[in-house]
Amino acid sequence: MMMNLLGLASAMDSVAWRGLVFTLFILNFVFACQLVLLQPLVSALDGKPSDATELFERVSQSIKVKRYSEALDDLNAAIEADPSLSEAYWHRASILRWLCRYEDSEKNYKKFLEMKPGNSAAEKELSQMLQAQSALVTAANLFDSGDFTKSLDYIDKVVFVFSPSCSRAKLLKVKLLLATKDYSSAISEAGYILKEDEDNLEALLLRGRAYYYLADHDVASRHFQKGLRLDPEHSELKKAYFGLKNLLKKTNSAEDNANKGKLRVAVEDYKAALALDPNHLAHNIHLHLGLCKVLVKLGRGKDAVNSCTEVLNIDGELVEALVQRGEAKLLVEDWEGAVADLKSAAEKSPQDMNIREVLMKAERSLKLSQRKDWYKILGVSKTSSMSEIKKAYKKLALQWHPDKNVDNREEAEAKFREIAAAYEVLGDEEKRTRYDRGEDIDDMGMGTGGAGFNPFGGGGQQFTFHFEGGFPGGGFPGGFGGFHF
C-alpha cells in the first residue's frame, strides 16, 4: 500500500513538472513574438534612436503607398507606448494635415511644439496647415455663391499644395468641374478617388453625373447602380438613377410616336422630356431637333423655328438643324432667313443634293417675294377676268395720269408707270400665265418695278395705250408726250 502511494506521488510530480515546463515555453514564445512584432515600439520606449528611425521609416513607406490608416495606427501605438516620443506627434500632425483633418492636425503640431519649442520647420507646417484650412472653407463658400473659377483656384493653388490627400477637396473639385461643364476632367478626377476607394458613394454619384451630361447614359447608369447596391437608400443616387430612366422612357416614347406618324402626341412627349432636365444639353439637342422635325411636318413654322434655334444655340454647326430651320422659315415666309440657313447648310455639306434642291426652292420663293405684285397694284384678284383687269387698269390710269395731277406730278408719274407695267403683264394672257407660274419674265422687257419700261418717251420704249371708246372728252388738254389714247 505504501509503495502504491509513493508511485502515485511520483507520477503527480512528473505531470506538474511537465506542466511547468509547458507554461514556461508558452511565455517564452509570447515574449519572442513581442520582441519581433513590437520591436520599434519597445525600442522607442527604451529611447533608442535607431529603432525610432526604423519606426518612422515604416510610417514613411506606408505614406508612399497611401496607406495613411496604417501609418496613423503605428504612430498612435508608439505614442500610447511612449507619450514623450515627440517626433511621433510631428509625423502624425503632418499626415492629418495631408488628409485635411485640420483640428486634430493642429493639436498634434501644438503638442510637438510644447515638447520642442521654437522648431521652425514645425511652426512653418502649422502655418501652412492653417492656410489650407482657411482656403478649403473659402473654396466651399465660393462654390455655394457660384464663383466656380475662383473656388477652383483655392483648391488647386492652396489646399492641394499643403493637403494633397484631402478627400473633401477632391470631391469639391469634381463638383466644381461639373458646375463649369468640364465633364471629361470631372470623370478623370473622380476616377482617381475611386482608385483609392472604389466604394466611395459620392465619387460614384459625381462620376455618373459627368457621364450623364456627356449623354453616355449606359456608363452613367452603371455608376448609379453600383452605388445603390452599396447603399439602396442613398437619396441622391436614387434620384439620379430613376431620373435617367424616366428621361430615356420619355425620349423613346417621343421617337416611337414620331415614327408612327402620331405627330401631335410626339410633340407632347418631346416637350415632357425636355422639361425633365433643361441643363442636359448633350441630350436635349436631339430632343429639340426631333421636336423641330415634327413641327415642320405639322406646318407649325414659328414653333419649329424656335425649336431648331435651340439646337443651333447648342451646336451652330449642325447641318440637319440648319436645313430644318430653313424649311420652317419657308413655312412662315421668311424667305431671306430660309435662304441664309440653307446656303450655310449647303456650304457645310456640298455633296448633299437634297439640300441644294430645298435651297433652290427657297431662292425661287425669295425672288418671287421681291417682284412686284401686279394684281395688288391694279387692285384685282388672281382669279379676275381679262375684262375686269382692263377695267381696273383704265380707272387707275385716269386717276393717276400726270396731266390730272399737276400738284403731285412726280408721284403720279411713278404710279402711272407702275400701273402701265402691271397691265403690260396681266393684260397679256401668255405673260400672265407665266407670271402666275412664278417664271422670270424679265426678258420680256418687264423687270420688277418697270425696269426698262418708260411710258413717257424721251428715249427708250414708248407704249401706245388703247382704250375702247377713248376717254370722255377726247383725251387730256395739251396731251401727254408719247401717249395716244
Side-chain angles (χ1 to χ4, degrees):
M1 183 66 173
M2 190 65 176
M3 291 298 292
N4 289 338
L5 288 173
L6 289 172
L8 180 59
S10 177
M12 289 178 66
D13 287 343
S14 176
V15 170
W17 275 105
R18 282 199 299 271
L20 179 60
V21 170
F22 183 73
T23 299
L24 291 172
F25 173 78
I26 293 297
L27 290 173
N28 186 64
F29 177 76
V30 171
F31 181 71
C33 288
Q34 287 178 331
L35 287 176
V36 172
L37 299 177
L38 303 178
Q39 184 180 1
L41 304 184
V42 174
S43 298
L45 280 169
D46 292 339
K48 296 178 181 178
S50 60
D51 293 328
T53 300
E54 186 178 338
L55 166 66
F56 297 133
E57 178 62 28
R58 200 167 82 204
V59 167
S60 178
Q61 290 300 320
S62 295
I63 291 171
K64 283 182 181 178
V65 294
K66 298 184 178 180
R67 293 178 180 172
Y68 301 112
S69 295
E70 292 181 16
L72 288 173
D73 287 343
D74 281 339
L75 292 168
N76 292 339
I79 290 171
E80 186 176 353
D82 182 5
S84 67
L85 191 59
S86 59
E87 295 291 323
Y89 290 101
W90 189 2
H91 279 74
R92 189 164 69 176
S94 296
I95 295 172
L96 292 169
R97 170 170 58 84
W98 293 333
L99 298 173
C100 63
R101 290 170 55 180
Y102 295 123
E103 291 183 4
D104 292 337
S105 176
E106 184 177 4
K107 291 176 183 177
N108 279 270
Y109 277 123
K110 288 182 176 180
K111 180 66 175 177
F112 172 77
L113 289 169
E114 285 178 11
M115 302 169 75
K116 300 285 185 178
N119 185 299
S120 59
E123 287 175 348
K124 182 179 179 181
E125 284 190 19
L126 174 58
S127 174
Q128 292 171 342
M129 184 278 297
L130 294 172
Q131 289 180 54
Q133 183 181 33
S134 176
L136 183 56
V137 172
T138 302
N141 291 335
L142 289 168
F143 171 74
D144 292 337
S145 66
D147 193 344
F148 305 129
T149 302
K150 199 169 183 180
S151 181
L152 268 172
D153 282 343
Y154 273 92
I155 292 293
D156 286 332
K157 297 178 181 178
V158 183
V159 179
F160 283 152
V161 172
F162 303 131
S163 302
S165 299
C166 179
S167 59
R168 277 185 290 159
K170 290 178 180 179
L171 289 168
L172 179 55
K173 182 173 183 177
V174 177
K175 291 178 182 178
L176 287 163
L177 292 169
L178 284 173
T180 55
K181 297 181 172 58
D182 187 353
Y183 302 121
S184 296
S185 295
I187 288 170
S188 296
E189 293 294 332
Y192 298 143
I193 298 172
L194 290 168
K195 281 183 179 179
E196 297 175 10
D197 178 9
E198 64 179 1
D199 294 337
N200 189 306
L201 294 178
E202 193 166 3
L204 286 168
L205 171 64
L206 296 174
R207 198 163 193 251
R209 281 180 178 165
Y211 277 113
Y212 166 82
Y213 282 117
L214 288 174
D216 195 342
H217 294 143
D218 289 340
V219 179
S221 183
R222 288 201 292 271
H223 278 73
F224 299 148
Q225 286 175 316
K226 180 177 179 179
L228 287 171
R229 283 195 294 271
L230 295 168
D231 181 2
E233 298 305 317
H234 193 288
S235 59
E236 289 298 311
L237 283 165
K238 285 171 70 174
K239 181 180 178 181
Y241 176 67
F242 290 109
L244 173 55
K245 284 191 68 174
N246 191 30
L247 176 64
L248 296 178
K249 181 180 178 182
K250 287 288 184 184
T251 300
N252 292 336
S253 176
E255 292 172 349
D256 288 345
N257 283 316
N259 292 332
K260 292 174 182 176
K262 298 178 180 179
L263 302 183
R264 288 178 175 79
V265 179
V267 167
E268 297 308 312
D269 284 341
Y270 275 120
K271 288 181 176 178
L274 283 165
L276 291 174
D277 188 353
N279 296 319
H280 193 355
L281 301 183
H283 184 66
N284 290 351
I285 189 172
H286 302 295
L287 295 175
H288 282 300
L289 182 58
L291 178 58
C292 178
K293 290 179 180 179
V294 173
L295 290 169
V296 168
K297 289 178 182 177
L298 287 170
R300 291 168 56 179
K302 184 178 179 181
D303 293 334
V305 168
N306 291 337
S307 290
C308 270
T309 299
E310 291 288 350
V311 177
L312 292 166
N313 286 341
I314 300 170
D315 181 359
E317 300 297 311
L318 194 59
V319 172
E320 193 173 5
L322 286 167
V323 173
Q324 289 296 321
R325 190 170 71 172
E327 297 255 26
K329 286 179 177 179
L330 288 175
L331 292 173
V332 296
E333 299 185 356
D334 178 6
W335 315 119
E336 291 184 1
V339 169
D341 280 345
L342 292 165
K343 271 188 177 179
S344 180
E347 289 170 2
K348 290 175 171 49
S349 185
Q351 304 303 319
D352 194 323
M353 298 310 297
N354 291 327
I355 296 176
R356 291 193 169 278
E357 185 178 337
V358 181
L359 174 58
M360 289 173 63
K361 174 185 173 184
E363 289 175 331
R364 187 164 55 250
S365 297
L366 174 60
K367 189 171 185 178
L368 291 175
S369 73
Q370 292 172 336
R371 70 180 185 172
K372 292 286 187 179
D373 186 343
W374 301 131
Y375 288 104
K376 185 176 181 181
I377 290 168
L378 293 181
V380 295
S381 70
K382 291 184 178 180
T383 58
S384 296
S385 65
M386 290 299 291
S387 61
E388 289 172 327
I389 290 172
K390 187 177 292 186
K391 182 179 178 181
Y393 165 62
K394 284 183 179 182
K395 179 181 177 182
L396 291 170
L398 284 170
Q399 178 184 345
W400 288 102
H401 195 286
D403 287 352
K404 293 188 67 176
N405 294 272
V406 179
D407 294 336
N408 59 331
R409 191 176 184 86
E410 285 189 15
E411 181 186 0
E413 287 181 0
K415 286 281 189 182
F416 194 82
R417 190 179 288 115
E418 194 173 54
I419 292 162
Y423 187 66
E424 180 73 9
V425 175
L426 300 184
D428 183 292
E429 290 281 6
E430 182 184 351
K431 291 179 182 179
R432 181 185 179 187
T433 300
R434 292 179 61 189
Y435 174 79
D436 289 344
R437 286 201 300 260
E439 293 182 16
D440 190 349
I441 57 173
D442 287 352
D443 60 337
M444 299 178 184
M446 299 302 303
T448 59
F453 179 74
N454 180 8
F456 304 115
Q461 187 176 2
Q462 295 190 9
F463 289 81
T464 300
F465 300 96
H466 302 282
F467 295 95
E468 293 178 3
F471 285 118
F476 298 103
F480 186 65
F483 282 86
H484 305 282
F485 298 95

